[in-house]
Amino acid sequence: MVATDPREHNPAAPGPPWQRRERRTWQNGPMHSYLVGGAVRDHLLGRPVVDRDHVVVGARPDELLALGYRPVGKDFPVFLHPQTGEEYALARTERKTGRGYHGFAFHAEPEVTLEEDLARRDLTINAIAQDESGALVDPYGGVRDLETRVLRHVSPAFVEDPVRLLRVARFAARFAPLGFHVAPETMALMQQMVADGEVDHLVPERVWAETRKALSEAQPSAFLRVLRESGALAVLFPEIDALYGVPQRAEFHPEIDTGTHMELVLDAAAAIAPGDELVGYCALCHDLGKALTPADALPRHIGHEHAGVPRVRALSARLKVPSEHAALAELVCREHLNAHRALELKPATVMKLLAALDALRRPNRLETFLAACWADKRGRLGHAEDDYPPADYLRRACAAAAAVQAAPFIADGLKGPAVGAAMEAARVKAIANVKLASI
């Protein structure tokens, strides 16, 4: 077999264009490239192929540089194709040298085989390659696990990288709707990683990077369940873990358990706002105060919306989430009950809610807030299809208030603070008119 030269195109290559490879023979021996990872996995699952990554076997960096590839790898040799911009990485092995995900030494030389490179990957379904002819190379049973819907580790080396635990949970959130589950032996390794303290070495940026992706998936509840079963939820998200086992009033929450409610809310958020991690994060944080309810007050949770604010702040600070995520999550936690009873609130109170959201200037904020609140309403057993009438009222109230402008009051001779006071009164009156029309 001859090696790949991506500058040439072979129109006679078999298979559809995404499978085609071009070839070149090197004087010092053969070089081969393989499509690997998610591109192969998603094609086999019939999902859209988004990223196409390649492994090059039998080559040195200078050979790829001679073909016009651009180096981008900092820790190991990774190159961008000169025409397509796709990533081509030299086959490599890795050796554990310390705790955490930074403690690795990499070896990338021409003698590293494809099987050795695939062995360092996390899951068997991500360790399938496709050669230049379109044939699959599957040394670790990834195709079988795709067919049986199993998330299984490739080798015992899985335990060496704590990020893999988060990745498995994230893949569970992505593929749970297809029936995927974590293999028992893989879950046992994940539990071992937690017991050994490996997850303690995860830095906030990596935890948040995987979490935000999980919140964008179709079934983010699976992310929580996998982390909880492994024991990692209590370590990484103690504020969330504390919700499990906390009862709620059955007449309002037939699911009773607050942790179960959280899972239902996350999945409702994913259905209401697909792929929106900001809505997902707000949903994740909305009920953190319920874990603080005194035992003698249960199953009632009076004041939980205010009690939860410090916990939201602590979680956001620890994970170093973006400022808008932190701000809106706090607002959803504090104000979600006001959203639910918006039609019962005085117009002046509705105006205060809109002002807190800065909704008149930033209506997209109101939409995020409403989506998270609607998810809270739907995130109850038997309520997955519920409508949310407060959303329409708050949108119309916001539009009516925003329509009030300063110019007429200035024309009437008002100045300074008097203008602001007059606008506030006019906006409250406009909201009152919207409320009357809604009754």
Side-chain angles (χ1 to χ4, degrees), residues 46 64 105 232 312 325 411 426:
L64 291 182
V312 174
H325 288 62

Side-chain angles (χ1 to χ4, degrees), residues 391-415:
D392 179 62
Y393 168 58
L394 287 173
R395 288 189 189 102
R396 290 188 292 113
C398 183
V404 176
Q405 300 297 315
F409 302 104
I410 295 174
D412 287 342
L414 296 181
K415 297 180 180 180

Side-chain angles (χ1 to χ4, degrees), residues 237-262:
F237 302 93
E239 300 89 350
I240 306 298
D241 189 67
L243 296 174
Y244 287 89
V246 177
Q248 303 165 108
R249 294 173 64 182
E251 64 267 36
F252 300 120
H253 288 278
E255 70 282 356
I256 299 178
D257 188 275
T258 307
T260 301
H261 170 60
M262 178 63 68

Side-chain angles (χ1 to χ4, degrees), residues 1-222:
M1 185 181 294
V2 292
T4 298
D5 180 349
R7 298 174 303 177
E8 302 171 358
H9 177 64
N10 178 8
W18 75 276
Q19 294 178 337
R20 294 174 188 166
R21 297 291 181 273
E22 303 80 22
R23 304 178 180 181
R24 178 185 180 95
T25 300
W26 286 89
Q27 292 182 353
N28 64 343
M31 178 180 76
H32 309 292
S33 72
Y34 301 84
L35 189 67
V36 294
V40 180
R41 177 200 67 221
D42 290 343
H43 175 71
L44 293 174
L45 286 173
R47 293 168 58 91
V49 174
V50 178
D51 296 317
R52 290 163 41 84
D53 297 325
H54 309 259
V55 161
V56 181
V57 178
R60 298 183 184 277
D62 60 332
E63 295 173 336
L64 291 182
L65 291 173
L67 286 172
Y69 284 72
R70 304 188 305 276
V72 293
K74 295 180 179 179
D75 299 321
F76 40 81
V78 178
F79 302 83
L80 297 182
H81 188 287
Q83 277 80 45
T84 68
E86 294 175 357
E87 286 194 359
Y88 284 71
L90 294 185
R92 64 186 187 270
T93 59
E94 56 190 36
R95 177 173 54 86
K96 185 74 168 173
T97 59
R99 300 299 293 267
Y101 68 94
H102 279 308
F104 290 91
F106 297 96
H107 175 72
E109 295 294 339
E111 65 268 17
V112 176
T113 67
L114 176 64
E115 288 75 14
E116 289 174 324
D117 181 274
L118 295 176
R120 67 178 177 78
R121 297 172 185 267
D122 49 8
L123 297 172
T124 60
I125 63 170
N126 297 328
I128 309 169
Q130 186 177 54
D131 69 14
E132 294 99 328
S133 69
L136 296 179
V137 181
D138 181 28
Y140 304 106
V143 173
R144 175 200 60 215
D145 286 340
L146 283 176
E147 293 170 347
T148 57
R149 302 306 199 237
V150 177
L151 301 174
R152 191 192 315 275
H153 64 284
V154 173
S155 78
F158 177 93
V159 301
E160 296 176 352
D161 185 356
V163 174
R164 290 172 176 168
L165 188 150
L166 285 166
R167 280 173 55 83
V168 171
R170 173 166 63 84
F171 280 120
R174 178 181 301 177
F175 294 130
L178 298 180
F180 276 81
H181 64 280
V182 179
E185 61 270 29
T186 301
M187 180 56 69
L189 283 185
M190 294 166 66
Q191 292 167 343
Q192 176 187 329
M193 293 167 72
V194 175
D196 290 346
E198 276 290 328
V199 296
D200 298 337
H201 297 273
L202 285 168
V203 299
E205 291 83 358
R206 292 307 298 268
V207 177
W208 173 241
E210 294 299 323
T211 301
R212 72 189 307 173
K213 293 175 183 176
L215 293 173
S216 301
E217 299 293 358
Q219 195 171 319
S221 62

